Amino acid sequence: MLLTETSRSSSPLDEGNSFLVRKLSHYRNLPADELLPLEGSLQRSRRTTQPRAILIEQGEPAGEICVILDGWAARQKVLADGSRQILAFHLPGDICEFNALLGAAADTETIALNGVKSARITRRLLNELAVAAPRVSQALWWEALSSNAIQREWLINIARRSATERIAHLLCELHSRLLLVGLASSTGFQLPLTQAQLANACAMTVEHTNRTLRKLRDLAGVQFEAGSVDFADPEAVRSIARFNGDYLLLKEMRSEASSTPFLGAS
Amino acid sequence: MLLTETSRSSSPLDEGNSFLVRKLSHYRNLPADELLPLEGSLQRSRRTTQPRAILIEQGEPAGEICVILDGWAARQKVLADGSRQILAFHLPGDICEFNALLGAAADTETIALNGVKSARITRRLLNELAVAAPRVSQALWWEALSSNAIQREWLINIARRSATERIAHLLCELHSRLLLVGLASSTGFQLPLTQAQLANACAMTVEHTNRTLRKLRDLAGVQFEAGSVDFADPEAVRSIARFNGDYLLLKEMRSEASSTPFLGAS
DNA sequence: CGGCCGGTTGAGGACCGTCAACTGGCGTGG
DNA sequence: CCACGCCAGTTGACGGTCCTCAACCGGCCG
């Protein structure tokens, strides 16, 4: 069965923070006392964004990063002709706009795909975590690496794979990422995307995406309905996609990787 | 005329460091005394790599980053079938594998395209710079942002542009980046790439790349010969590519962007 | 000399985009 | 209440961009 946020939050304070914490804990063992400052801060900076509304505006020099507590977001670039290209999907537990920490204006915009609950991590908090919670700090930066690796894999997806492989690969990636935070079963997950958004992310037309989805259903029994996906045979889908999830960097960090990146107040 | 490294190095100590320093100085005004530790370190860690040889091996958990002092490199991912996809070109003054700082094993390999002179920046040096040379440290991290932005733009290039636009856009990007370090004239630059490498980076076949280059020559007078490119009409090429270089983040950093990222020793 | 590599050209076809039309669901407003 | 419009999804016909396969050229080097 598919887990939802509310069905698994244990305490009021914990509510909504757990996806990020759960993911970070996969990277590294994190003692509870190190997690408290992060969890508290996320709790205090919660906000809600409506579907289709802008979560992070282009040109916004934030100086803080955005954590998706619940819901899906998409990072996209607005092109000269007004069209948009989706560059990344942000799922619960993901961190958006790591580069905002340097004070750079975002050259992309991030929109909410469905109702999104988010929170912010300030530069100051990151500084404090680097000293007071080095393991948490490391895990956060590991997350940034993972995010870059996903960006690179998207390039490969579009550059080298056929339409069928491409869609299948994206679905496998989303499945793996959602599994990590407990938002997928072994054979399916909630997918709050229209075919147009799926098409955009895969650099295809809507029509061809539609036909490709049909093909995936015929080939591997992939079911799309009512905002959810079900893999009748997950291994078949991964095989079609030639999916290898190593790039997600999900395997545990070597703990002797003793660098603790943090931001110093200047 | 095209400038070469040797023709513009002023002092022996300065030799080969100047491309990085020149680029960083575009981001931010850097006092000479802050630059000394960086320049000295680069000087001490110089190494040379032969054409086609591996500069950074896949799986290598470096803990230090690599600076291209001279020559071109390519970051590429080896796929399951043994083929490779080029993800980025690294030009003189560029920094490779920023993620290596966290101790992550590289999931890509970086090869030298021609003879490459490189140097390393250790985590320890970055820590010291963050304290002793905050402006240099900021500029280095700004460079990392620029590198990520280029990665995103490559996705857009492959996702949304036709073959002609795609090649033209890549050429415009390389031109802008080389101009920044003084390695291009207003109408051309040295291009140490085979058509096969150009094709790979643009996700096209060699044959179609060849025909596209011919088309670019017919449309905009772009000349390819003997490892160099000449734009008869640079503005025409940019127009074909719909090139807008804002994503390169070349405009000067706001100096009130007062975050000083650095790595703390743990 | 022969082999290899990079570049070039041609013919044919596949994959995917374009254009067009139609469906069903949903909310709005007459 | 139904009419209407809009949006997401679906299907078909057609065409173009780009890939595949094949061949050839010139330069370089052993």
Side-chain angles (χ1 to χ4, degrees):
Chain A
M1 93 177 207
L2 299 177
L3 300 172
T4 64
E5 181 202 350
T6 45
S7 71
R8 30 173 313 289
S9 61
S10 47
S11 77
L13 188 70
D14 190 40
E15 187 180 342
N17 296 346
S18 37
F19 296 130
L20 176 60
V21 168
R22 181 183 282 226
K23 182 154 67 165
L24 297 183
S25 301
H26 274 277
Y27 299 151
R28 206 170 188 332
N29 186 31
L30 301 174
D33 62 314
E34 280 203 15
L35 284 170
L36 283 179
L38 175 62
E39 290 176 327
S41 172
L42 291 180
Q43 195 59 31
R44 284 189 299 276
S45 62
R46 290 174 68 107
R47 66 185 69 176
T48 301
T49 308
Q50 297 304 312
R52 308 261 168 171
I54 291 182
L55 193 65
I56 302 169
E57 198 149 0
Q58 187 165 358
E60 186 181 325
E64 56 185 16
I65 55 182
C66 174
V67 176
I68 306 290
L69 300 178
D70 200 26
W72 286 40
R75 181 176 193 176
Q76 56 188 14
K77 180 138 184 180
V78 183
L79 305 178
D81 61 1
S83 67
R84 283 137 211 271
Q85 172 65 43
I86 295 178
L87 298 168
F89 289 124
H90 294 301
L91 319 183
D94 279 2
I95 296 179
C96 320
E97 292 287 341
F98 251 97
N99 47 330
L101 285 173
L102 266 185
D107 61 336
T108 56
E109 64 180 24
T110 303
I111 59 161
L113 295 172
N114 48 11
V116 165
K117 288 180 194 152
S118 64
R120 310 281 155 152
I121 299 180
T122 61
R123 198 189 307 146
R124 169 187 295 213
L125 176 64
L126 271 178
N127 292 341
E128 292 168 2
L129 289 178
V131 177
R135 281 175 273 252
V136 173
S137 176
Q138 280 179 22
L140 286 171
W141 285 90
W142 193 263
E143 167 67 13
L145 294 194
S146 170
S147 160
N148 282 342
I150 291 170
Q151 185 75 73
R152 289 193 294 273
E153 194 66 26
W154 276 41
L155 181 73
I156 291 170
N157 205 27
I158 292 179
R160 302 190 75 95
R161 287 191 260 264
S162 72
T164 316
E165 296 167 336
R166 212 181 287 182
I167 299 269
H169 196 277
L170 177 58
L171 293 177
C172 287
E173 178 192 300
L174 294 173
H175 186 229
S176 286
R177 290 166 62 190
L178 289 170
L179 272 174
L180 194 70
V181 291
L183 283 174
S185 76
S186 61
T187 62
F189 53 91
Q190 299 291 119
L191 181 73
L193 296 179
T194 65
Q195 290 187 11
Q197 289 161 339
L198 207 55
N200 187 303
C202 289
M204 293 163 49
T205 58
V206 203
E207 297 90 332
H208 200 230
T209 300
N210 184 281
R211 284 184 260 259
T212 303
L213 290 177
R214 169 174 300 274
K215 190 171 171 187
L216 278 180
R217 191 171 63 197
D218 296 344
L219 284 177
V222 180
Q223 292 291 337
F224 292 85
E225 41 194 32
S228 75
V229 187
D230 190 80
F231 298 168
D233 182 353
E235 203 44 59
V237 184
R238 282 190 280 268
S239 164
I240 289 174
R242 293 180 288 162
F243 182 75
N244 176 344
D246 287 353
Y247 70 93
L248 294 169
L249 299 181
L250 302 187
K251 56 185 181 308
E252 201 176 346
M253 288 175 65
R254 290 170 308 292
S255 49
E256 76 273 17
S258 58
S259 64
T260 308
F262 62 104
L263 297 172
S266 79
Chain B
M1 92 177 207
L2 299 177
L3 300 172
T4 65
E5 182 203 350
T6 45
S7 73
R8 32 172 311 289
S9 61
S10 46
S11 77
L13 187 71
D14 189 42
E15 188 179 342
N17 297 348
S18 36
F19 295 129
L20 176 59
V21 170
R22 181 184 284 226
K23 182 155 65 165
L24 297 184
S25 300
H26 274 276
Y27 299 152
R28 205 169 187 332
N29 186 31
L30 301 174
D33 62 315
E34 281 204 15
L35 284 170
L36 284 178
L38 176 62
E39 290 176 326
S41 173
L42 291 180
Q43 194 59 31
R44 284 188 299 277
S45 61
R46 291 176 67 110
R47 65 185 70 175
T48 301
T49 308
Q50 295 304 313
R52 309 263 166 168
I54 291 182
L55 193 64
I56 303 169
E57 199 149 359
Q58 186 165 356
E60 185 180 326
E64 56 185 17
I65 55 181
C66 174
V67 176
I68 306 288
L69 300 178
D70 200 25
W72 286 41
R75 181 176 193 175
Q76 57 187 16
K77 181 138 183 180
V78 183
L79 306 177
D81 60 0
S83 67
R84 283 137 211 271
Q85 172 65 43
I86 295 178
L87 298 168
F89 289 124
H90 294 301
L91 320 183
D94 279 2
I95 296 177
C96 320
E97 293 286 340
F98 250 98
N99 47 331
L101 285 173
L102 266 186
D107 61 335
T108 56
E109 64 180 23
T110 303
I111 60 161
L113 295 172
N114 49 11
V116 165
K117 289 180 193 153
S118 65
R120 310 280 155 152
I121 299 180
T122 61
R123 199 188 306 146
R124 168 187 294 215
L125 176 64
L126 270 178
N127 293 341
E128 293 169 0
L129 289 178
V131 177
R135 280 176 273 253
V136 173
S137 176
Q138 279 179 23
L140 285 170
W141 284 90
W142 193 262
E143 167 67 14
L145 294 195
S146 169
S147 161
N148 281 343
I150 291 170
Q151 186 75 72
R152 290 193 294 273
E153 193 67 26
W154 277 41
L155 181 74
I156 291 171
N157 204 29
I158 292 178
R160 302 191 76 94
R161 287 190 259 264
S162 72
T164 317
E165 295 167 338
R166 211 181 287 181
I167 298 269
H169 197 277
L170 178 57
L171 293 177
C172 287
E173 178 192 301
L174 294 172
H175 187 227
S176 287
R177 290 166 62 189
L178 288 169
L179 271 175
L180 194 70
V181 291
L183 283 173
S185 75
S186 61
T187 62
F189 54 91
Q190 298 293 119
L191 180 74
L193 296 179
T194 65
Q195 289 187 11
Q197 289 161 339
L198 207 56
N200 186 303
C202 289
M204 294 164 48
T205 58
V206 203
E207 297 89 331
H208 199 229
T209 300
N210 184 281
R211 285 184 258 258
T212 303
L213 290 176
R214 170 175 299 275
K215 190 172 171 187
L216 277 180
R217 190 171 64 198
D218 295 344
L219 283 177
V222 180
Q223 292 291 338
F224 292 84
E225 41 194 30
S228 74
V229 188
D230 190 81
F231 298 167
D233 181 354
E235 202 43 60
V237 184
R238 282 190 280 268
S239 165
I240 289 174
R242 293 180 288 162
F243 182 75
N244 178 343
D246 287 352
Y247 69 93
L248 293 167
L249 300 181
L250 302 187
K251 57 186 180 308
E252 201 175 345
M253 288 174 67
R254 291 168 309 290
S255 48
E256 76 272 19
S258 58
S259 63
T260 307
F262 62 104
L263 298 173
S266 79

